[in-house]
Each structure stands twice: as C-alpha cells, then as structure tokens.
Amino acid sequence: MAYVIGVDVGGTFTDAVLDDGNGLVVAGKAPSTPPDYSQGVMDVLDQLAEHLGRPLEDMLADTHHIAHGTTSSLNALVMGQVPDVGFLTTKGHRDSIYIMNVEGRYLGRSPEQLQNVMAQSKSHGLIPKEHALEVTERVDRDGRVIVALDEDDVRLQVTALLDQGIRAIAVSLLWSFRNPAHERRIREIVAEIDPSVFVSLSSEVSPRIREFARNATTIMSTQIGPGLRDYLGELEARLRSAHLAGPLLVMQSNGGAVEASEAPANAISTVGSVLTGGVIGSLSLGRQLGHENIIATDAGGTTFLVGLVVDGEPVRASTTIINHHPINVPTLEVHAIGAGGGAIAWVDAGGNLQIGPHSAQAVPGPACYGQGGTEPTNTDANLVLGILPSRGLLGGRKPLDIALAREAIRTRIAEPLGLSVEDAAAAIYAVQNAQTGDLLRKTVVEAGHDPRDFIVYAFGGSGPAHCGFYAQEIGVSRVVVPLGQVASAFSAYGLASSDVVLARELSDPAAMPVDPARAEQNFKMLEEQVREQLERQGLDFASVIVEREIDMRYSMQLAEVATPVEAGQLTSTEMVGAAESFERRYAELYGKDSGFREAGIQAITYRVRGTGVLPFSTQLPELADADSSDAGTARVGSRPVCLDGRLGYVDTAVYDYTGLRAGHVVPGPAIIEVPTTTVVVPHHTTGRIDRLGNLVITVDTADLPQE
C-alpha cells in the first residue's frame, strides 16, 4: 500500500492531499456537498485519482489509510442543528445544566459583552427540561455507593424518554468518574429496553471533576454521536465498495486520529478535527524548514483560524467553549472567527461596516458565484479589487461574475455608506485585514509571546490574499505561504501527516505532593487503556510514545495548568519536581511572582496521551533551482489591482505559480495565481520561492513609509 490521504471537509470546499511517502504529493479541491458531505469526499478522491492517472478503485486499493477531518459536528453544535437527546442524572442534580454555575454568564462572551451585565442571561440550555430526568442513586467523592441504583426507577425514566421520541441518551451521574458502575448498569438497562438507542456515559466521555462541565460535554457528545456514526458508516461503506484497503481514520481535536468506528462513542473529541489539521501541517512543514515558533493561520470559505507552535510543539488546551458551555476536550488550542472568503459584509445599525461571522458557505455562496447569493462577501470584494482573476477560481473551473459582485456591494454596502463600489470593496478588504490581525494579536500577545519571535504560515483558499497585511498588523515581518503541491489544501496535508493520538484522563483531586503510589496507580490504569485502544486501530506503528501530565492549580483557584510528569516509576522526588514544574509554567502563563505557594498546590486531573507514530514521512518534494532570481519568465501580464484604498488601482504584475522555481524573487506589489488560491505580495514586501516551492514574503522595512 503506497498512499496516505488526508481529507478536509469544510463548509465551502472539500480538500484532499495524497502522499506516497517517496516525494510524490498531489492535492485536490471540490465543492462541499451538504447535507451529504460524503459525495464531496468521493468527488475530491476522484480528482486525486485523475492526477495520478489511475482508476479510483486502484488508488484506494493501494491506500494505507485515509485521515478525515470535518467541521460538520462543530457546525451542528454551534448552529443548534442537533437531534433531541435525553439526559439522566442523579436525583436532585438535574438543574445543574440550567443553573450553569456562574459560568453561564461569562463563558464565550467578549469583553464588551461582559461589561453589559443587564444583557447577560443563561437562557441557552442544551436540552428542554422535559428531556432531563433523574434516577435514584448516589456515589460519594471516594467512589463508595451510598444509595444503590434503583433499576426500576431507571426503567421508568428511560421509557419516559423513549415515549417522547428520544433516540439518544446522555448519562452523567454524580462522582461517576470515581465509580462508573451505576452508569454502566444504566447503559445495560437501556440496551435491554431498546438496543438501538445511542448511549453516552460521562465516565467514558469526560471522567473529570466539576459536574456542570462534565454534564455539558456528555450531552453535546450525545447530540452529535448518532449523526457522526451514520455519516462515517455511509462514507466507509462507499469507500469499501470503491476498494479502500486501509482504515478510515477521523481527526480529533488533540491533533491525532482515531479509527472511524470508535469516533462516535466519544464524538465530542472530533469537534475541532479540521481546525487542528492546519496546526499539524505547520508543525510538519516547520520541521522541514527549521521553524520552531509559528503562527498558523487558515482562512477558508467560512472561518479564519489561528493556532500556535511554540518551541517546536503545538500549544494545547484541556477545555474549549461551545455556545457558552465548557467542554472537557483535550485539544490543540485554535482560535476562530467567521472571517473566511465567504464571510458576509454588512452595515450595522450604527452605520459601521462589519465582516462576518455569517457566511454564504458553499450554497448559495458569494454573489459572484452566480448561484443565487445576493450578500456581498470577502470574495466579491477581492474580485472587484482585481485580486482574483476575472476568469474565476480553480484555474477557471469555478467561474466568477464580477457584475453580480458589484451589484451586491453596491446595494448592501456602497449606497448605505455613501461610497463608490470600488471604495466599498476596498473598505471590506481593509476591515477583513484588520479584524484578522486582531485575532492574531489576541492569540499571540495575550498569551505572553512577542510576535517578532514568530513567523506566520498562511494557507486556506482565501488566506494568501490577505496574509501580508494581517501579519504586518502585529509586527511579524516574515510570512510563509505553503504552496508547492499543497497550496490551499494545506489542512488536508496536515491530516495526511498526522499520527494516531489517543488521550485518557481521570480526576482524582489531592494536595501536592501526592502519594507516588496513588499517582502511579492512576497513570498505569490510563496507560493500559490507551495502549489497548491503540491496538484496536488496525495499524502497525513505527513506535508508540506515551506521555503523562497532571492538571494542577493553586488551592482555591479555578485555573488549572497541564504539567508534564516524568515517565517511569514515580517517587516523592518526581512528585516534588512536578509541583515545581507547575509553578514555573504558571509563572510563564500569568507572570513572574504571580503564584501563591503558601496556598498550597492541588493535583486535579491525570492524563495520558499515547501517540502511535505511523511509518510514513510526509516530506514535501524540493523544486528545481531557477537559473537566476529573475521571475520574469513566470510573469503572465498585469492588471489594475487595488490593495490600498488610499492608492487606488495600481497596474500590478501577475505571475503564474507553475512557472516559478526555487530562488525566484517577486517584488511587490504582485499577484501570484496558483491553481487553488491567489497570493498577494503587498507594497513594500518581497516574495521569494524557497526550495519546497513555498512563497516567503518579507517586509522591506527600509522601504516602508515613515510617519
């Protein structure tokens, strides 16, 4: 089996990258096909087979595995497009998901929203109250059964839910992570009543302390589990009928993949699957280029995403926020706003131009697509400004209608603001660059990093048209646009280069230093679970890496910091060292002398991460060197382009990327047309093609205008 394939299913396009492990890398891009996203996957696989000159069946028969990432689960949660589910919890604790602690008033809100106290509410419950029922049982904090499970009561409550048409049930009992016996028995009872009902247990999905977050995580996982199961089942059936030999893997939020049949049981772990693909791709490419500090930026059709690689490792988080609810999912930390190429431009009640967060998506798409869309988008503005070629996208396979773009901008933006269509388009471009720059600032500066120590990687279908500007917004002077064979399918390249990563965790709160025997017992149990799950993946690994960490905090605080723990038999010395490591990490995050050792340190949650390293090296092939730095042979003409409303339209050189070679220099301003994206080299910058075919844009600081 020769091939590894990564497939990135976005809201607008489905991308794929194939790597044969010997220097051959090919990419494809096809429109996504909601609601049946599997058709878009098959369409893009057909493109890969066409690139190889082989029948699809032959290509898939020689495929070691497919790594698949999708935003469909996340989009379903964010938009509330999920089926009704039931919730069973310990008697007296049903309302925790509606009370939401105080967190329901501030989680997921901007600083401006937090200041408007009167407008805050907790009116965003996950499920109707009639679908949340209680059962008689009680386990204490040490896992001891105080009240036995009343099985007749369970049958009564389950039957009540099924009578309401419920086909999926989330079970989250008090202290179940210390003793899961009652949750497991409830699942058996549900199966006795109706084995077709989907059941999620908090002791398996989220075995962490804190009732509200555990409940929310389990409910959300149950909301998307059945849909993910059905989608992956149908997709895998289509792939098998097309002779796929290897397994179908699904990307998780933690930056690694899991076998498709296991993904629905912990569906919540897949909600950030596509979001992490670009970070993993940046990590892989950064190792080839020797870059350890990277700001990974991915602008597709719907969203703009930012993740960090610091000192050669992706920045991780133990939780995330969805619809004002805390979700217990170990993840690569990725920040997102609705500012992709399809983000809609609009004028608010105060007469201010806004971009996003709503998107035209694949259907109907931007106005210029001619598919019935009437709202102006970033793509429409870029077409009017001359950034995008008039012949269309994807080398002309996706035609664009500039008249429709101009009409949408005229009626929705230009006339309300008293601007010409051209000035309105320039304003859309400027606002897009400013707000994406703001997200970079939030991600980098607010985390305590100096942007000047980083290099920006810019990918996605629309990112390369803006990256030179949003990098300058935060003072980064160098940008890498991954081109070569991957271009705007870079997140799919990240999926193809990912390993299998599985994580298991367990809360066991105790004061530090914890008894080494107690900590060792927790870690060994989690390691055994991880190794057993790795064995079920159906893959031969080159090696297996097992890492340990403990979430710690100062007593009486809520903020926890994931702290690595040495492998091997633990002693008191290692536990003291772990506490000292926590204090160093706390100071790095929150500032020197911000800790308070006198309060004491608590170990809260133990975590083991197992990485099954796949026997493939996704190395991008090198290009032939150019005879000179002059890129004139790749220049295909020029056209009027407006990159700055103050300068207006400037005759701008246009280059065909396929004619560029390693060492070619492209002075700005310039447009580089790539089959799957368009790159802007701004004024006062220079673009150079590196040995892998990437475009490196460097700010010419000496040429910048002085204030």
Side-chain angles (χ1 to χ4, degrees):
M1 298 181 192
Y3 307 130
V4 173
I5 299 174
V7 179
D8 169 3
V9 181
T12 307
F13 286 104
T14 295
D15 301 335
V17 167
L18 177 147
D19 189 329
D20 75 345
N22 294 309
L24 174 66
V25 179
V26 296
K29 179 182 284 285
S32 294
T33 55
D36 179 15
Y37 287 97
S38 65
Q39 183 57 53
V41 174
M42 300 307 296
D43 290 343
V44 79
L45 292 176
D46 278 330
Q47 286 189 24
L48 296 182
E50 184 179 341
H51 283 306
L52 294 176
R54 303 188 65 187
L56 174 66
E57 291 77 9
D58 290 354
M59 179 188 77
L60 292 179
D62 285 337
T63 295
H64 181 270
H65 69 271
I66 293 177
H68 176 286
T70 177
T71 60
S72 60
S73 295
L74 177 60
N75 291 344
L77 288 174
V78 171
M79 294 185 289
Q81 297 175 346
V82 292
D84 290 335
V85 304
F87 175 58
L88 294 178
T89 191
T90 304
K91 183 164 289 187
H93 289 263
R94 180 193 72 161
D95 286 341
S96 69
I97 60 173
Y98 306 105
I99 296 171
M100 301 176 69
N101 300 336
V102 73
E103 296 172 282
R105 293 192 179 276
Y106 68 81
L107 289 178
R109 300 185 189 277
S110 68
E112 294 77 14
Q113 291 172 322
L114 290 176
Q115 292 173 12
N116 189 1
V117 177
M118 298 301 294
Q120 296 172 19
S121 72
K122 293 190 285 187
S123 58
H124 33 258
L126 288 173
I127 58 176
K129 283 196 173 184
E130 58 267 26
H131 294 165
L133 303 179
E134 300 173 342
V135 296
T136 302
E137 69 86 43
R138 187 62 186 262
V139 172
D140 72 4
R141 57 172 292 175
D142 296 318
R144 295 175 300 189
V145 176
I146 304 301
V147 178
L149 179 68
D150 186 333
E151 297 191 2
D152 290 336
D153 187 25
V154 172
R155 291 186 176 89
L156 183 66
Q157 305 305 330
V158 170
T159 301
L161 290 173
L162 300 187
D163 287 345
Q164 296 181 65
I166 297 297
R167 304 303 303 161
I169 299 175
V171 183
S172 183
L173 306 180
L174 203 63
W175 297 103
S176 59
F177 59 90
R178 299 304 305 271
N179 183 349
H182 286 176
E183 286 195 351
R184 292 173 180 173
R185 179 55 187 150
I186 289 175
R187 177 166 56 193
E188 292 173 355
I189 292 172
V190 174
E192 292 169 5
I193 297 172
D194 188 339
S196 67
V197 175
F198 185 93
V199 179
S200 292
L201 307 183
S202 73
S203 54
E204 296 175 353
V205 173
S206 177
R208 289 196 209 172
I209 195 170
R210 295 200 182 100
E211 182 182 4
F212 168 45
R214 184 172 69 255
N215 292 347
T217 303
T218 308
I219 291 171
M220 285 196 178
S221 193
T222 310
Q223 287 174 327
I224 60 176
L228 185 64
R229 175 197 59 194
D230 295 345
Y231 164 70
L232 291 175
E234 179 182 351
L235 175 60
E236 186 159 19
R238 296 185 69 170
L239 292 170
R240 296 299 175 203
S241 67
H243 300 173
L244 174 65
L248 173 65
L249 305 180
V250 179
M251 192 69 169
Q252 302 173 97
S253 306
N254 63 15
V258 66
E259 207 275 329
S261 64
E262 296 201 5
N266 195 2
I268 197 68
S269 70
T270 69
V271 293
S273 59
V274 166
L275 311 187
T276 60
V279 178
I280 295 300
S282 297
L283 181 65
S284 178
L285 179 58
R287 288 170 178 163
Q288 282 190 259
L289 298 178
H291 299 151
E292 292 199 333
N293 294 329
I294 302 167
I295 306 170
T297 64
D298 181 357
T302 304
T303 53
F304 177 76
L305 313 169
V306 180
L308 292 182
V309 175
V310 179
D311 296 330
E313 291 294 330
V315 174
R316 300 180 185 273
S318 59
T319 61
T320 188
I321 307 299
I322 300 177
N323 288 351
H324 310 291
H325 290 80
I327 306 301
N328 294 336
V329 178
T331 181
L332 301 189
E333 192 168 282
V334 177
H335 300 266
I337 57 175
I344 294 170
W346 53 287
V347 177
D348 66 19
N352 301 302
L353 177 61
Q354 305 283 349
I355 310 295
H358 299 294
S359 169
Q361 300 187 313
V363 179
C368 61
Y369 279 16
Q371 298 174 173
T374 59
E375 304 280 0
T377 66
N378 285 323
T379 297
D380 295 302
N382 288 353
L383 179 60
V384 170
L385 295 174
I387 295 170
L388 298 180
S390 58
R391 70 176 182 280
L393 304 175
L394 305 179
R397 286 185 288 126
K398 184 68 174 178
L400 302 178
D401 189 325
I402 192 171
L404 293 176
R406 291 180 62 87
E407 179 63 14
I409 293 174
R410 181 185 67 80
T411 57
R412 303 300 179 97
I413 306 298
E415 290 183 352
L417 295 179
L419 299 173
S420 67
V421 170
E422 293 77 12
D423 286 344
I428 293 171
Y429 188 70
V431 171
Q432 166 74 354
N433 294 334
Q435 69 180 18
T436 49
D438 284 343
L439 184 61
L440 264 66
R441 186 175 296 106
K442 173 183 175 62
T443 303
V444 181
V445 178
E446 291 186 11
H449 303 297
D450 187 339
R452 294 171 296 184
D453 296 334
F454 287 77
I455 186 167
V456 166
Y457 281 21
F459 42 92
S462 60
H466 299 267
C467 60
F469 292 94
Y470 61 66
Q472 291 183 52
E473 283 276 333
I474 63 167
V476 175
S477 60
R478 207 155 44 121
V479 179
V480 171
V481 181
L483 293 176
Q485 299 299 317
V486 293
S488 67
F490 190 70
S491 288
Y493 164 74
L495 297 173
S497 62
S498 65
D499 294 312
V500 173
V501 180
L502 303 171
R504 298 293 293 177
E505 57 187 19
L506 175 69
S507 286
D508 184 16
M512 289 291 288
V514 174
D515 177 3
R518 179 176 178 176
E520 185 70 21
Q521 181 181 12
N522 287 335
F523 279 129
K524 283 189 174 180
M525 179 185 67
L526 295 174
E527 287 172 0
E528 183 178 343
Q529 293 174 1
V530 165
R531 291 185 184 278
E532 288 177 355
Q533 193 174 4
L534 283 170
E535 291 177 2
R536 296 199 301 267
Q537 302 307 303
L539 291 163
D540 293 326
F541 300 117
S543 61
V544 173
I545 301 170
V546 177
E547 301 168 284
R548 298 173 166 184
E549 64 185 25
I550 303 176
D551 290 348
M552 300 187 200
R553 70 182 184 190
Y554 287 110
S555 297
M556 305 303 292
Q557 280 199 339
L558 293 177
E560 297 170 6
V561 176
T563 305
V565 176
E566 294 292 333
Q569 188 68 35
L570 294 175
T571 67
S572 297
T573 301
E574 278 78 29
M575 298 313 297
V576 170
E580 293 173 347
S581 179
F582 158 75
E583 293 203 277
R584 288 193 298 271
R585 285 177 168 261
Y586 190 95
E588 291 171 359
L589 287 172
Y590 301 110
K592 184 180 179 182
D593 298 326
S594 60
F596 186 46
R597 181 178 299 182
E598 291 77 7
I601 300 171
Q602 294 177 319
I604 303 298
T605 299
Y606 294 77
R607 185 175 301 107
V608 168
R609 187 165 47 250
T611 301
V613 180
L614 293 169
F616 291 93
S617 176
T618 51
Q619 298 285 314
L620 293 177
E622 296 192 7
L623 293 184
D625 289 332
D627 295 331
S628 71
S629 63
D630 184 5
T633 55
R635 182 168 174 171
V636 293
S638 63
R639 62 173 177 258
V641 177
C642 177
L643 301 177
D644 186 333
R646 295 167 298 183
L647 300 177
Y649 286 79
V650 175
D651 192 50
T652 302
V654 178
Y655 295 82
D656 178 1
Y657 173 76
T658 60
L660 294 172
R661 300 291 179 266
H664 273 153
V665 175
V666 177
I671 301 293
I672 299 177
E673 295 182 346
V674 187
T676 53
T677 190
T678 299
V679 188
V680 169
V681 182
H683 299 271
H684 311 298
T685 69
T686 299
R688 292 178 174 82
I689 304 297
D690 72 7
R691 59 186 174 84
L692 300 180
N694 306 307
L695 177 70
V696 182
I697 301 174
T698 305
V699 176
D700 303 324
T701 53
D703 294 337
L704 289 175
Q706 303 298 313
E707 296 193 12

